């Protein structure tokens, strides 16, 4: 299903984003939106041919370099995209000539970005150009580009230049010094090194051209090695140019250039690499997909946001983490915040726990940087940096430079005062442990993080003898509009929570792994006195909470600040801090983002103090109206959506959810050009699962208490909990139900871990008759006419026995024990076929059965190959007249094999034509013989019709009406695990 964005030129499909118009004003924001990646690197959606205002960027995890003022940043790596096209002497550019047709698409199911256009050159040549690119998820060191050129109305002389651009910049700052470059038998290569951190990069590329005679030439321009070719392209002739690139850095291998050249020499063809990439994505989406029915915009946009998290996720590296702007932009210089642990990590913890482990292990590898920060400020233990990079040292800029030439520099106090992230990291470690039960990781890594950062808190708190309480003074809480406060409740309660869990971890370690406990006691100087001190802090830490009303004061003195009514400032397009000024915002009860409400959200899973429904309702009513939810922080809307769902405020919940969901796709805050809002993307997953799905975690596993938005008719997802998969299929109650509430169609269907819990379906093979179209009726009429002519009794009941049976076998059933010569049998088969062909003469797409075209389209969008497996010798004719030939990748018909169904030969032939193994294929049949053939061939089977006929199939359905690939995938997963 498609929906068009009301304010933009975007069309949203289940998996595909389509841009229907090029808008120069959105050049940089759309470069963010069309970012692709593979967990090793991210490449912004800049144009292959370049643009005068463009700023192409590829960021590789961990490739940081020194920079003034902001200490370090992810270095914009050499650009692998340049592909210049010259048509009859005119260089193709979007700002020259005339673009007659345009479409750009991002297929998030396989990370494929494409652009197709018709361009009239300044001298009048018209040519169709198609680009596509991918960063392989199957092998993170492989990148691919394809360009197809088709002259529209006249022959053209075309020149192609494929390059690596070594002069990449970070908005005016070049981090790279060229070391060497050259050519090989395969193509070109480039070797560069960062100026400060001395990280080496090696890139290699090759180009192939098909459809025209072209000789390749290599030019080694310093810092810009290039492969070029010229050729003649005839009108309506398509020339295909393919460029493959390999990349390594010295972070993962000693000789990156050698590795890149060797990898390039070993590469298979573009199509094979793209197929491997698609298969890798299929495996990832099987674990992480969310299916939404009834809201096409949300259905796509949720997948889009998850895609952006997945392409920034370090699948194979535990020394890096996901930056606040992922790997999609220059914002925040590639630094890591609490955004990762609190907002992003839960998505991975519940769907890709190995990635979650990598992200948390990054905090272990950078703990020495946290220790250096604590020591710098005069504290003990580990004080995690507010902004972290490769070493874990604090890299938050001390000053922000003004845009105004005469403005004052702005002091950034977060580096000194926003300290709650040490507890936030401990929270994420604890949650990972509770969800996964990964005792070994906690023993080896997590316990040290929790315990050493707890030691920091014991040295950071201040004891107030007069009040007999512990205070934490001079901090910034989650709400950054107030830059110097005492006893921020979020911070104090998180510290209390952290110390509670530190005691539990320490006790567990001593009981379970005493040797490791002794090691940490010696290393961290853990003593019984320290434990007593932690217990005293837990008991006496200052928290401003009114037990009678449930109202929590955000920090000491917050209620004495000037009150504010945000409606008085509407309409606006700026943050309240911009309107009031930094000092002005400090004086008002206005919040940049949830603070008290954020605390309640984090305490919500286990209903720990101070969370309960009354406290939530009371504090929502007070703090939600005072939160700058539109132009404050992008971290807020998703959290508000979840809490509003808890409170039954469905309209508000959905509004906040959509605000978070479209922050980048519709550039809601006007800053999408800086990069993807990673924390918001993670919050979206939490809003769907914990808000609308109402997932609650119990010792028996996760359970659902759904609060679906009014338009959502179905929500499906799965969660990984302590070694098992739990599938959730949530839908609205039927209209006839007494109350219009959600119902749980499948709840916590536990799936054992193992290979059989993951299906790898890559192709569908459809029978024609009774499946895609009702040609069975035409077959019946043809047989009836033949039988009448021969004086043989025949009726519809007898016709049922012919389902799925070959023409000859059908005839033999009809004639029974009557004697006919072979010549007569051949003549009757030919006569019946002639009658049948006459009957189907006028068949059209209107004769497709309900649900057929929708399922075919969805399967193709999902990258599933489609075959036809029909015993009919007229299958190709029927397919053409039904108008679905362009949707079919292979046809196996009555001419393909000798043995008919129930022999598996026909379906095995179709699978071979699709290039798939039998176990990767699903057969859709309406006949018992077809089901038997599918099972005999080792394939999955869907039976259409009554159980007594097709009951041996893995899945039995009445027909294809309303059938979706997302539904089938879940059902096959259940079948696989039931049989394992």
């Amino acid at each position: 299903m498609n929906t068009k964005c009301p304010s933009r030129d975007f069309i949203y499909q289940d998996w595909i984003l389509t841009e229907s118009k090029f808008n120069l004003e959105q050049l940089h924001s759309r470069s963010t939106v069309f970012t692709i990646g593979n967990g090793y690197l991210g490449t912004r959606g800049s144009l292959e041919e370049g643009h005068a205002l463009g700023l192409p960027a590829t960021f590789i995890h961990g490739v940081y370099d020194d920079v003034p003022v902001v200490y370090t940043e992810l270095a914009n790596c050499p650009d692998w995209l340049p592909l210049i096209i010259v048509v009859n002497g005119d260089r193709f550019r979007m700002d020259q000539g005339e673009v007659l047709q345009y479409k750009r698409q991002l297929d998030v199911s396989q990370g494929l970005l494409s652009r197709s256009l018709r361009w009239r050159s300044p001298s009048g040549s018209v040519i169709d150009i198609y680009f596509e690119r991918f960063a392989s998820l199957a092998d993170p060191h492989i990148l691919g580009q394809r360009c197809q050129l088709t002259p529209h109305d006249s022959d053209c002389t075309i020149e192609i230049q494929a390059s690596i651009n070594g002069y990449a910049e970070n908005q005016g700052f070049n981090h790279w010094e060229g070391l060497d470059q050259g050519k090989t038998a395969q193509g070109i290569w480039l070797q560069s090194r960062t100026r400060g951190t001395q990280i080496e990069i090696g890139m290699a590329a090759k180009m192939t051209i098909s459809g025209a005679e072209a000789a390749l030439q290599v030019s080694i321009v310093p810092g810009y090695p290039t492969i070029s070719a010229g050729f003649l392209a005839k009108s309506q002739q398509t020339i295909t140019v393919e460029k493959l690139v390999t990349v390594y850095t010295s972070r993962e291998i000693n000789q990156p250039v050698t590795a890149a050249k060797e990898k390039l020499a070993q590469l298979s063809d573009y199509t094979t690499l793209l197929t491997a990439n698609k298969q890798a994505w299929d495996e990832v989406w099987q674990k992480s997909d969310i299916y939404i029915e009834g809201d096409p915009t949300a259905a796509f946009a949720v997948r889009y946001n998850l895609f952006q998290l997945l392409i920034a996720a370090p699948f194979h590296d535990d020394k890096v983490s996901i930056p606040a702007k992922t790997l999609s932009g220059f914002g925040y210089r590639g630094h890591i915040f609490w955004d990762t642990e609190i907002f992003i990590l839960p998505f991975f913890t519940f769907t890709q726990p190995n990635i979650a482990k990598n992200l948390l292990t990054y905090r272990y590898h950078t703990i020495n940087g946290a220790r250096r920060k604590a020591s710098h400020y005069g504290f003990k233990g580990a004080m995690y940096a507010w902004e972290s990079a490769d070493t874990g040292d604090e890299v938050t800029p001390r000053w922000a430079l003004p845009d105004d030439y005469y403005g004052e520099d702005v002091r950034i106090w977060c580096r000194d005062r926003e300290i709650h992230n040490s507890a936030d990291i401990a929270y994420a470690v604890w949650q990972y442990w509770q969800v996964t039960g990964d005792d070994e990781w906690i023993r080896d890594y997590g316990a040290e993080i929790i315990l050493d950062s707890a030691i920091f808190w014991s040295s950071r708190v201040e004891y107030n003898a007069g009040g007999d309480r512990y205070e934490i003074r001079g901090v910034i809480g989650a709400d950054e509009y107030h830059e110097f406060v005492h006893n921020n409740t979020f911070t104090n309660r998180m510290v209390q929570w952290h110390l509670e869990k530190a005691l539990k971890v320490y006790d567990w370690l001593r009981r379970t792994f005493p040797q490791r406990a002794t090691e940490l006691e010696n290393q961290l100087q853990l003593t019984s006195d320290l434990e007593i001190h932690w217990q005293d802090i837990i008991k006496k830490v200052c928290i401003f909470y009114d037990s009678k009303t449930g109202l929590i004061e955000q920090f000491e003195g917050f209620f004495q600040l000037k009150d504010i009514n945000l409606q008085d400032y509407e309409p606006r397009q700026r943050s309240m801090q911009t309107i009031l000024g930094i000092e002005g915002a400090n004086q008002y009860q206005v919040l940049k983002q949830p603070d008290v409400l954020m605390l309640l959200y984090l305490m919500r899973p286990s209903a720990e103090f101070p969370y309960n429904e009354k406290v939530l309702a009371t504090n929502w009513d007070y703090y939600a109206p005072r939160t700058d939810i539109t132009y404050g922080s992008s971290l807020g809307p998703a959290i508000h959506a979840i809490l509003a769902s808890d409170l039954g405020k469905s309209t508000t919940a959905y509004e906040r959810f959509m605000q978070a969901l479209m922050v980048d796709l519709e550039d809601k805050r006007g800053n999408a050009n800086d990069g993807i809002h990673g924390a918001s993307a993670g919050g979206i997953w939490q809003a769907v699962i914990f808000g609308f799905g109402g997932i609650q975690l119990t010792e028996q596993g996760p359970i659902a208490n759904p609060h679906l938005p009014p338009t959502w008719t179905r929500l499906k997802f799965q969660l990984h909990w302590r070694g098992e998969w739990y599938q959730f299929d949530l839908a609205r109650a039927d209209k006839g139900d007494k109350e219009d509430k959600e119902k749980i169609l499948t709840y916590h269907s536990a799936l054992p871990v193992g290979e059989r819990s993951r299906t790898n379906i890559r192709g569908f093979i459809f029978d024609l008759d009774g499946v895609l179209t009702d040609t069975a009726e035409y077959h019946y009429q043809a047989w009836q006419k033949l039988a009448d002519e021969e004086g043989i009794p025949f009726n519809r009941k007898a016709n049922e026995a012919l389902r799925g049976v070959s023409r000859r076998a059908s005839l033999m059933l009809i004639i029974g024990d009557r004697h006919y010569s072979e010549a007569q049998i051949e003549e009757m088969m030919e006569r019946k076929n002639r009658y049948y062909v006459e009957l189907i003469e006028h068949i059209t797409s209107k004769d497709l059965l309900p649900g057929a075209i929708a399922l075919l389209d969805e399967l193709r969008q999902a990258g599933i190959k489609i075959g036809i497996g029909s015993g009919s010798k007229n299958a190709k004719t029927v397919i053409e007249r039904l108008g679905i030939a362009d949707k079919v990748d292979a046809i196996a018909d009555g001419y393909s094999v000798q043995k008919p169904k129930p022999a598996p030969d026909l379906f095995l032939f179709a699978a071979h034509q699709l290039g798939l193994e039998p176990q990767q294929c699903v057969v859709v049949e309406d006949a018992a013989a077809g089901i038997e053939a599918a099972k005999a061939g080792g394939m999955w089977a869907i039976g259409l019709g009554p159980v007594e006929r097709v009951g041996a199939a893995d899945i039995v359905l009445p027909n294809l009406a309303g059938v979706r690939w997302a539904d089938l995938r879940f059902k096959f997963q259940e079948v696989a695990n039931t049989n394992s």
Side-chain angles (χ1 to χ4, degrees), residues 255-270:
Q255 299 292 330
V257 171
T258 301
K261 290 191 287 186
E262 290 177 350
K263 172 75 73 174
L264 188 72
Q266 299 166 3
L267 289 185
S268 54
D269 63 277
Y270 179 94

Side-chain angles (χ1 to χ4, degrees), residues 278-540:
K278 178 63 172 71
Q279 291 173 346
W281 271 109
D282 284 347
E283 292 183 13
V284 169
W285 281 118
Q286 281 182 8
K287 297 176 181 178
S288 299
D289 186 27
I290 291 177
Y291 172 72
I292 296 170
E293 187 176 84
D295 189 343
T297 297
F300 168 77
V302 167
R303 284 170 170 156
Y304 172 83
N305 280 273
L306 300 186
F307 169 78
Q308 290 296 339
L309 293 179
L310 288 164
I311 64 175
F315 285 79
H316 311 292
D317 192 344
D318 64 8
K319 291 183 173 62
V320 297
S321 187
I322 299 178
K325 292 295 184 183
T326 65
L327 297 177
S328 62
F330 296 94
Y332 295 120
R333 311 283 176 166
H335 296 172
I336 290 93
F337 293 71
W338 72 309
D339 303 31
T340 306
E341 282 75 26
I342 297 301
F343 295 89
I344 295 173
L345 193 78
F347 165 58
F348 294 108
T349 299
F350 283 96
T351 68
Q352 306 276 344
N354 286 334
I355 295 176
K357 183 193 297 187
N358 285 346
L359 294 171
L360 288 172
T361 306
Y362 160 82
R363 292 297 190 179
Y364 176 82
H365 289 310
T366 57
I367 197 169
N368 285 332
R371 288 165 177 157
R372 286 190 290 270
K373 181 176 179 180
S375 177
H376 170 78
Y377 284 96
F379 303 121
K380 298 178 181 179
M383 178 187 184
Y384 276 96
W386 179 245
E387 296 184 32
S388 177
D390 50 348
T391 67
D393 290 285
E394 182 62 73
V395 292
T396 306
R398 191 178 299 275
W399 298 94
L401 305 180
D403 295 329
D404 182 353
Y405 289 123
Y406 303 103
E408 297 293 328
D409 294 351
V410 178
R411 181 69 159 86
I412 306 299
W413 289 107
C414 298
R415 61 179 291 125
D416 310 286
R417 300 173 182 170
E418 196 156 3
I419 60 175
H420 59 79
N421 58 317
S422 290
D424 304 331
I425 292 166
Y427 182 96
V429 169
W430 178 269
Q431 184 185 59
Y432 170 80
W433 188 27
Q434 299 309 297
V435 172
T436 65
D438 189 349
D439 290 350
E440 290 185 1
W441 187 85
I442 290 294
R443 176 196 64 195
D444 297 338
Y445 304 100
E448 186 172 344
I449 293 172
I450 289 178
L451 293 172
D452 209 20
S453 48
I455 291 172
F456 160 68
W457 290 125
S458 62
S459 66
R460 177 62 175 83
V461 299
E462 303 173 40
Y463 180 65
N464 182 330
D468 188 27
R469 69 186 191 189
Y470 290 93
E471 300 181 344
I472 306 178
R473 302 177 64 79
V475 301
I476 299 173
D479 161 33
E480 295 172 345
Y481 279 175
H482 300 90
E483 294 187 314
F484 188 80
V485 305
H486 304 313
N487 296 312
N488 168 250
T489 299
F490 177 90
T491 303
N492 287 18
R493 173 59 184 125
M494 289 297 292
V495 170
Q496 182 188 53
W497 180 96
H498 185 168
L499 297 178
E500 291 169 351
K501 299 304 182 283
L503 289 170
K504 289 185 177 181
V505 168
Y506 190 18
D507 180 64
W508 170 82
L509 206 59
R510 284 182 294 201
R511 287 185 288 102
T512 312
F513 299 105
Q515 183 176 349
R516 177 60 173 159
T518 301
E519 290 176 2
L520 288 179
E521 285 170 354
N522 295 331
Q523 178 185 345
L524 305 180
Q525 298 181 348
L526 297 170
T527 64
S528 57
D529 288 343
L530 183 60
E531 286 186 88
I532 293 171
H533 186 41
W534 285 353
Q535 290 166 348
D536 200 42
I537 296 170
I538 291 168
K539 181 179 178 181
K540 297 177 181 178

Side-chain angles (χ1 to χ4, degrees), residues 778-844:
Y778 299 127
H779 281 294
Y780 163 69
Q781 291 180 27
W783 283 125
Q784 185 69 68
K785 184 175 182 179
L786 176 71
D788 291 344
E789 290 173 346
E790 294 296 324
I792 301 173
F794 186 71
N795 54 33
R796 289 187 180 276
K797 183 177 180 180
N799 186 65
E800 283 296 303
L802 308 186
R803 283 184 178 271
V805 180
S806 69
R807 190 188 308 170
R808 184 182 184 89
S810 295
L811 179 59
M812 300 312 291
L813 287 172
I814 292 172
I815 63 179
D817 57 3
R818 296 171 180 82
H819 178 72
Y820 290 91
S821 68
E822 182 60 30
Q824 289 173 315
I825 291 173
E826 290 290 337
E827 186 278 329
M828 283 192 286
M829 286 195 296
E830 179 59 32
R831 196 184 341 155
K832 179 268 177 184
N833 188 59
R834 187 169 65 251
Y835 297 153
Y836 173 73
V837 171
E838 291 171 356
L839 288 167
I840 65 171
E841 185 71 29
H842 303 293
I843 197 171
T844 69

Side-chain angles (χ1 to χ4, degrees), residues 100 118 120 124-128 150-156 234-236:
L100 304 176
R118 177 167 292 171
R120 179 184 286 124
S125 301
V126 177
I127 186 170
D128 291 332
T150 309
H152 183 63
D153 52 9
S154 62
D155 297 351
C156 293
K234 294 184 178 181
S235 177
Q236 297 300 312

Side-chain angles (χ1 to χ4, degrees), residues 76-98:
N76 183 9
C77 293
D79 183 16
W80 59 280
L81 292 177
L83 199 61
I84 294 173
I85 302 166
V86 180
V87 181
N88 289 336
D90 292 324
R91 179 175 171 178
F92 163 66
R93 299 172 64 109
M94 293 296 290
D95 56 357
Q96 294 181 6
E98 183 181 2

